[in-house]
Each structure stands twice: as C-alpha cells, then as structure tokens.
Amino acid sequence: ALTDHMQAARVFRRGFSTVAQVPPIRRGFIGTVGNTPLIQLDRIASDTGCTILAKAEFLNPGGSVKDRAALAIIQEAISSGRLKMDKDSTVIEGTAGNTGIGMAHVCNALGLKCVIYMPNTQSMEKIALLRALGAEVRPVPAVPYDNPDNYNHIAKREAERLGDKAIWGNQFDNTENKQVHYKTTGPEIWAQTGGRVDAWTCSTGTGGTFAGVATFLKEKNKNIKTILADPPGSVLHKYVKEGILERTGTSSITEGIGQGRVTANLQGAPIDDSVHIADDRTLEMVFRLLDEEGLYVGASSALNVVAAVDVAKMLGPGHTVVTILCDSADRYRSRLFSKDWITSKGLMAAVPSKYHSKLV
C-alpha cells in the first residue's frame, strides 16, 4: 500500500546511525560473532496489531545464527584441553551446512583443519562455500538418525579414528550450543527490547537457539510465551502437542530445521506450545520479506516469520513477538528462486503472480 511505502520512506529519511551509535572496533572473525540487530517488521506485522521483531542472525560474520554455536563448541574444546591449538588438529562435524560454515570460519581464524560430513541433499551453494572456505567436504547419502550411516554417526567415527588429533563437534547433543544462546542471544534480545517481550518463537534443528533463548527469557519473565515452530516432516509439533514422536507430513523445502528426535539441547526446554508451518506459507513469506521488507533471507527464516505472525494473531493486538532470521537466501538461490525447482515441489501456486518475475 502507498501508506506502507510512505512509512518506509520516513524511516529512510531519518538516515543512518550517528557516529555515537556505531559499534566499537571488533577483533577479527571471532570478535564479530553476536550482538546482531533486532529488526522491526512493520509491513509483515501490519494486520496483526502487534510488534514483530526479528533478530538479524544473517548479519553474523559467517552469515548465520550457527556462527554462535560453532564458536562456542570450538572454544570449549580448546579450553577443556580436548582440542590443541595445532595446525594438525581437526574439527569434524556433521551438519546440514550453516554450522559447518561457521566452524570453517573459526578454524581458519585459529589455524585448525575442518572436515564436514553433510547430507547430499543440501544446496550446492552451501557445499561450494564450505569448499571455498577450505573445509574438506564429504557429502553422504541422507538417511535417518537411527541409521549407522547417518552423517552425524560417520562424523563421530572419523573423529574417534583420529584420536586426540580431532574432536567431533556434536552440535545436536553438545549443550554448549544451547548455553551460548542462553548466555548471548537471550540477553541481547532482553536488552534490545528493554524486557518488553510477550512471546518467543522459532524453528529448531539442533534445538540450541530455541532452548537457550527460551530458558533465559522464562527466567526473566515466566509469562513470556515460548512457542516452537515446526516444518513438515518433523516430529516436534506432535511431541509438544500430544507427547508423541510422530512426524507431521513427510518432508520440507526448508534445510537444517525439523527433527526426528528430541536432542540433548532441546531436552528440558520450556515449550508452551507449537505451531506447524506448511511449505506453501513458508515459500510465500520468502517473497513477501523480500518485496515488503527488503530482506533476502532463506526458507527457515521465512518459516520463523510465518510462525511469529501466527503467534501474534493468537495473542491479539498490543503484544511483542520475537523470532530470528537465520541466514541469507543466497545459500538457496538456485532453489528458492528457480521456477523449475518450485514447480517440481508443486508449490508454484504459493508464489503470488507479482513475484513470478523474480524467478529464473
């Protein structure tokens, strides 16, 4: 609407940050992780009567929320003596991409080797980026977690084979993942909102982001609603709703979120409710965020925003809902903006006609 564009223009005319607001100098990649902005999504929230805020985790130096967990896991391994600061020391991880990218950056900064096992279903952009960062990438067939050839189990075995020359990151069950969000992301959100938060929602892969932030916010205010967002093919929606580990739907266009089990990071997390988000709504939101907010983000980020809108409508006008924008759409460009790929998923109807010109 014209009024929306006029509002955006008024914001633009206020200009960039003043010198007093510019962050201080940070030391290298490691010093730049965290302290990301919180973005108010005015146009997306316009029909909810609520304030929807999204933590811009795609602005981390490695491009995703997973920079936090990658750094925390490696720092703990070094401080505990499990990983030596040596050019022959290797960090090995099973990852759908973003944690591996974060680990590759951290390993470069610290002079360590990095080996990544990942499902061969992941986007070529992620694989190419990991290799460009110097990681050794070993794609393997995508099989369930209970299969011994699941990428996580293969990564663990390789680390065991190398002995004290390597560590397995174990992002799903290494609770340093959850702790870093409890120690950093949660406090950042609390400070940025001045404690004015009514609900926290996001999707989970490892469970670290959701659980860490939810735990911190609940300790600050037990009335804050913590609501898990779940894609098709995951068991967590029914687990929260009914206490059973049963999948809702079969698969999703999203990468790195959804789960077939309750990870150690998610165990004991305060979860008030869950929302199931279908792929057509996620894909539509990818284009809405680009067109209405100017934000070029991936499908998991879009799913989180759909969830935030749903939660806002559940709570009613006057509330503040916080979520995260996990990463950029650049890592999924060949899929999310491909007419052929979208058609192959039966989702062209989810892309409003005015966005068709953005497809290639």
Side-chain angles (χ1 to χ4, degrees), residues 27-212:
R27 294 182 68 94
F29 179 92
I30 290 171
T32 314
V33 175
N35 289 305
T36 54
L38 201 56
I39 300 175
Q40 185 164 328
L41 305 178
D42 288 328
R43 297 184 68 190
I44 295 296
S46 61
D47 64 344
T48 70
C50 291
T51 298
I52 294 178
L53 305 173
K55 194 93 163 93
E57 290 296 288
F58 63 91
L59 293 179
N60 276 303
S64 87
V65 64
K66 295 296 187 177
D67 288 359
R68 296 184 191 250
L71 178 58
I73 288 168
I74 293 173
Q75 282 182 326
E76 185 281 329
I78 292 170
S79 63
S80 68
R82 294 187 301 115
L83 183 67
K84 297 178 177 61
M85 290 285 288
D86 184 291
K87 63 181 179 61
D88 293 321
S89 293
T90 304
V91 175
I92 299 174
E93 185 60 297
T95 168
N98 280 336
T99 302
I101 291 166
M103 286 184 167
H105 278 288
V106 175
C107 285
N108 282 343
L110 297 176
L112 305 170
K113 293 180 180 178
C114 185
V115 175
I116 300 298
Y117 287 89
M118 65 192 306
N120 60 8
T121 55
Q122 302 306 293
S123 69
M124 290 306 299
E125 287 93 340
K126 284 183 181 177
I127 295 172
L129 177 55
L130 278 163
R131 287 177 172 153
L133 292 171
E136 183 177 340
V137 184
R138 302 175 183 176
V140 297
V143 295
Y145 183 80
D146 58 9
N147 186 311
D149 288 327
N150 176 274
Y151 64 102
N152 286 291
H153 303 320
I154 298 174
K156 179 183 180 182
R157 291 197 296 270
E158 178 64 5
E160 290 171 344
R161 186 186 72 80
L162 293 175
D164 62 5
K165 286 290 186 182
I167 63 143
W168 172 42
N170 191 20
Q171 59 166 325
F172 290 91
D173 296 306
N174 184 334
T175 55
E176 288 299 317
N177 181 347
K178 173 173 65 179
Q179 283 302 310
V180 74
H181 292 288
Y182 176 82
K183 294 174 181 176
T184 67
T185 318
E188 288 170 28
I189 290 169
W190 186 257
Q192 288 168 316
T193 60
R196 292 183 293 275
V197 182
D198 296 297
W200 157 250
T201 184
C202 77
S203 52
T204 72
T206 64
T209 305
F210 177 87

Side-chain angles (χ1 to χ4, degrees), residues 332-354:
Y332 317 94
R333 184 176 64 250
S334 65
R335 296 182 175 188
L336 294 178
F337 296 89
S338 164
K339 186 179 297 183
D340 289 343
W341 187 83
I342 292 171
T343 300
S344 75
K345 299 297 180 182
L347 290 171
M348 273 303 292
V351 182
S353 58
K354 68 175 183 175

Side-chain angles (χ1 to χ4, degrees), residues 178 210-211 214-215 265-271:
K178 173 173 65 179
F210 177 87
T215 301
N265 281 295
L266 195 59
Q267 287 173 10
I271 308 174

